[in-house]
Amino acid sequence: DAKTTQPPSMDCAEGRAANLPCNHSTISGNEYVYWYRQIHSQGPQYIIHGLKNNETNEMASLIITEDRKSSTLILPHATLRDTAVYYCIVYNQGGKLIFGQGTELSVKP
Amino acid sequence: DGGITQSPKYLFRKEGQNVTLSCEQNLNHDAMYWYRQDPGQGLRLIYYSQIVNDFQKGDIAEGYSVSREKKESFPLTVTSAQKNPTAFYLCASSWSVTRSNQPQHFGDGTRLSIL
């Protein structure tokens, strides 16, 4: 499985867009990019995933570069409830999601 | 609402005791998983199951056992052979182990501690 690199922490003002970067330079052609978040003492929450194209759902947008070596998760209007650890994961079947250290996002009023 | 229910939320184990963690899902998913999370660390896969009556060891299966008698249930037993059981245990489910475009959805976990 490809490894991912994320900044350990980020701050964002409430109501502004939060842009969380992820590098996955060794990603293979059939590996998907997944994003999860984990609020303290809760289970990870699935946010979004994609292969090549940009994706958007009710929670967030996922922008994947053309060479697929990096991606950005965008929370368009961050709220205090978005404060969490965000994990970028590269996955290709087999069942095992490999969670790295993630990015601790703090949304501040 | 569909989802994954883990119980209990908190569990305490005495030395030499086996304890069983419950995981139930009503998402009609075929695949189910158990992970362990230690403080400040990522998740590690304990066991997974693609279908009823079948399951596979993950990376850290020693000291744990599972069963899959029903599609919606995948209980995890932490045996006395697991010498360091204190951790946060997470159950997940998905449509398939082998399809990489199907996300896993997680329950809210069980926190196990040693008395």
Side-chain angles (χ1 to χ4, degrees):
Chain A
D1 291 330
K3 291 184 65 176
T4 62
T5 303
Q6 300 177 251
S9 64
M10 293 181 63
D11 290 339
C12 178
E14 189 177 19
R16 304 295 294 270
N19 297 290
L20 291 89
C22 179
N23 287 322
H24 31 79
S25 58
T26 59
I27 192 170
S28 314
N30 54 357
E31 290 181 315
Y32 280 75
V33 178
Y34 277 78
W35 283 83
Y36 284 81
R37 70 182 183 185
Q38 188 173 25
I39 297 169
H40 184 63
S41 295
Q42 296 183 20
Q45 178 187 22
Y46 164 74
I47 302 173
I48 198 167
H49 72 283
L51 183 63
K52 297 179 182 178
N53 300 320
N54 298 338
E55 301 288 344
T56 296
N57 63 21
E58 65 278 6
M59 289 183 66
S61 294
L62 174 61
I63 309 298
I64 302 174
T65 58
E66 192 169 345
D67 63 7
R68 303 211 324 124
K69 292 184 177 182
S70 66
S71 60
T72 301
L73 179 74
I74 301 173
L75 307 178
H77 306 286
T79 71
L80 298 179
R81 288 178 295 180
D82 291 322
T83 293
V85 179
Y86 286 77
Y87 296 98
C88 169
I89 299 164
V90 173
Y91 178 66
N92 176 25
Q93 67 173 325
K96 181 171 61 177
L97 290 174
I98 299 176
F99 285 69
Q101 295 303 307
T103 295
E104 188 165 2
L105 175 68
S106 296
V107 180
K108 300 182 184 298
Chain B
D1 287 338
I4 299 171
T5 301
Q6 291 188 242
S7 63
K9 191 171 179 63
Y10 299 96
L11 187 58
F12 299 91
R13 194 190 89 169
K14 296 179 181 178
E15 293 288 342
Q17 184 182 44
N18 294 351
V19 292
T20 297
L21 285 61
S22 171
C23 177
E24 302 277 334
Q25 55 99 359
N26 61 2
L27 299 167
N28 201 32
H29 285 165
D30 289 314
M32 296 187 73
Y33 314 81
W34 275 104
Y35 291 87
R36 167 181 172 143
Q37 187 174 33
D38 293 283
Q41 297 189 27
L43 278 65
R44 290 184 289 170
L45 184 65
I46 304 173
Y47 269 98
Y48 64 96
S49 168
Q50 173 62 70
I51 57 172
V52 172
N53 293 323
D54 183 66
F55 46 83
Q56 304 296 326
K57 293 182 179 180
D59 295 330
I60 55 166
E62 186 174 351
Y64 300 97
S65 65
V66 294
S67 62
R68 187 88 187 275
E69 297 176 1
K70 299 186 296 182
K71 184 176 183 177
E72 60 271 22
S73 178
F74 192 40
L76 173 74
T77 296
V78 183
T79 75
S80 57
Q82 173 49 246
K83 297 306 179 187
N84 185 22
T86 298
F88 190 42
Y89 290 87
L90 290 156
C91 178
S93 71
S94 72
W95 289 110
S96 171
V97 172
T98 57
R99 293 179 64 183
S100 53
N101 66 340
Q102 300 296 324
Q104 294 180 26
H105 297 274
F106 287 81
D108 275 338
T110 292
R111 196 167 296 278
L112 176 62
S113 302
I114 293 296
L115 284 177

